[in-house]
């Protein structure tokens, strides 16, 4: 019927191998259904966010070409970092166009794209400032009218925190959080409140140069009392250390809460996760 696609008209857009499956995938279409956004790690160390016009594949005539991305479809890179994959994407709730990208080298970071509306860029600035006391932002969900965001803060030394952000309540003059941050953010709940009062230490990123001239992102957890000494500016003391080596090479350690690290630091050990 009208609007359906004959299966014999379908074409293969992209094939990914086993070495690309972890960081390459379709992100989704825009509202029109013509533009496909996808994460592409093919022939590169880190995945980029790309877009391509695929409407020619679904046009009424097999020979039809569109104004944008005719022929085989021109791919456009929207975001790429040499240090880490483009992992998560903040998409407009109605147009479905990505407006920000999350990547993680040593810590998760949200970066607005050039097409991001001003209220999105301001909201990400406020969240970046709030993360200094709440934990880094691991997830963002948006309501259809974009007036309400559900934000997940994930500290390395406490429970996951869920808050509501109202991006249109943020003043354009707000800098470094300010009063606008307090009025725009509303606490909902924490995932494991029993963790809130426990003596937990931060997981700090450490970048170690390797003998083959690369860098190895690692994470150091210190006993809480030693962490407090160093925060106070006192000289560091030596501690016995547990070295935790991650398997792989298909995955890596993250800047996130780790119960094994916390148990070890509570017993007086430093923990280096590599």
């Amino acid at each position: 019927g009208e609007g359906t696609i004959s299966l014999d008209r379908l074409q293969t857009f992209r094939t990914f191998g086993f070495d690309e499956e972890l960081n390459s995938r379709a992100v989704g279409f825009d509202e029109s259904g013509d533009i496909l956004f996808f994460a592409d790690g093919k022939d590169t160390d880190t995945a980029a966010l790309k877009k391509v016009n695929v409407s020619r594949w679904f046009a009424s005539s097999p020979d039809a070409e569109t104004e944008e991305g005719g022929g085989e479809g021109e791919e456009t890179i929207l975001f790429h970092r040499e240090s880490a994959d483009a992992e998560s994407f903040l998409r407009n709730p109605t147009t479905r166009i990505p407006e920000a990208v999350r990547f993680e080298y040593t810590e998760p970071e949200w970066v607005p794209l050039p097409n991001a509306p001003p209220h999105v860029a301001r909201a990400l600035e406020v969240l970046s400032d709030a993360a200094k006391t709440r934990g880094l932002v691991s997830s963002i969900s948006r309501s259809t009218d974009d007036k309400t965001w559900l934000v997940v803060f994930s500290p390395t030394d406490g429970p996951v925190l869920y808050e509501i952000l109202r991006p249109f309540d943020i003043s354009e003059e707000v800098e470094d959080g300010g009063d606008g941050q307090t009025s725009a953010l509303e606490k909902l709940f924490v995932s494991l409140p029993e963790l809130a009062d426990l003596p937990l230490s931060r997981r700090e990123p450490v970048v170690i140069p390797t003998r083959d001239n690369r860098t190895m992102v690692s994470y150091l957890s210190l006993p809480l009392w030693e962490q407090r000494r160093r925060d106070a500016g006192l000289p560091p003391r030596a501690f016995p250390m547990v070295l935790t080596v991650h398997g792989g090479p298909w995955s890596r350690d993250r800047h996130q809460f780790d119960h094994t690290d916390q148990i070890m630091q509570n017993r007086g050990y430093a923990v280096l996760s590599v």
Side-chain angles (χ1 to χ4, degrees):
E2 184 178 355
T4 61
I5 301 173
S6 173
L7 292 180
D8 59 7
R9 293 273 314 284
L10 295 180
Q11 301 181 36
T12 299
F13 164 63
R14 177 63 58 81
T15 300
F16 295 111
F18 287 116
D19 56 338
E20 298 141 0
E21 64 168 338
L22 289 177
N23 63 357
S24 302
R25 69 186 187 281
V27 175
F29 290 92
D30 71 344
E31 185 181 22
S32 70
D34 292 338
I35 307 298
L36 172 66
F37 301 96
F38 62 103
D40 186 8
K42 195 176 184 67
D43 300 323
T44 181
D45 287 338
T46 56
L49 173 63
K50 296 182 178 181
K51 73 173 183 178
V52 63
N53 191 314
V54 297
S55 59
R56 74 173 293 270
W57 282 294
F58 308 116
S60 57
S61 168
D63 300 324
E65 292 187 359
T66 59
E67 180 179 350
E68 178 184 355
E72 294 184 359
E74 298 177 2
E75 299 177 9
T76 302
I77 297 177
L78 302 178
F79 178 91
H80 183 235
R81 288 287 189 275
E82 295 289 345
S83 58
D85 294 322
E87 293 184 327
S88 300
F89 310 96
L90 191 65
R91 300 169 67 192
N92 185 285
T94 53
T95 67
R96 309 305 296 156
I97 296 174
E99 295 176 341
V101 176
R102 176 185 180 269
F103 73 100
E104 182 176 351
Y105 179 53
T106 58
E107 300 176 339
E109 182 178 348
W110 289 90
V111 178
L113 297 176
N115 63 296
H119 76 275
V120 170
R122 288 197 301 269
L124 292 177
E125 288 180 7
V126 166
L127 292 178
S128 177
D129 189 71
K132 297 174 184 177
T133 56
R134 290 167 167 83
L136 296 171
V137 177
S138 57
S139 176
I140 304 173
S141 301
R142 302 160 74 176
S143 62
T144 303
D145 61 8
D146 210 22
K147 293 182 179 180
T148 305
W149 292 13
L150 175 61
V151 182
V152 181
F153 294 97
S154 299
T156 61
D157 57 352
V160 173
L161 174 64
Y162 293 79
E163 295 202 15
I164 291 292
L165 174 71
R166 296 180 175 83
F168 290 101
D169 291 349
I170 301 171
S171 169
E172 294 186 16
E173 290 75 28
V174 171
E175 295 183 359
D176 298 326
D179 293 336
Q181 175 178 300
T182 303
S183 61
L185 279 166
E186 175 187 344
K187 182 178 177 180
L188 287 179
F189 61 91
V190 295
S191 60
L192 293 170
E194 53 270 25
L195 291 179
D197 297 324
L198 295 180
L200 305 175
S201 69
R202 299 186 307 272
R203 202 179 204 208
E204 302 282 6
V206 179
V207 179
I208 302 173
T210 64
R211 60 186 177 185
D212 57 353
N213 297 320
R214 296 181 179 272
T215 57
M216 182 168 57
V217 177
S218 307
Y219 297 93
L220 177 65
S221 298
L222 295 171
L224 182 58
W225 53 89
E226 174 63 13
Q227 196 168 80
R228 288 172 175 170
R229 288 184 74 260
R230 298 189 185 190
D231 289 345
L234 298 175
R237 295 184 301 186
F239 279 85
M241 187 182 75
V242 175
L243 180 64
T244 304
V245 181
H246 194 285
W250 54 269
S251 188
R252 52 164 287 187
D253 268 299
R254 300 275 181 172
H255 191 269
Q256 61 190 11
F257 181 89
D258 188 285
H259 66 277
T260 302
D261 288 11
Q262 297 296 346
I263 292 174
M264 292 295 181
Q265 68 84 12
N266 183 264
R267 269 66 173 176
Y269 295 96
V271 183
L272 181 65
S273 300
V274 302

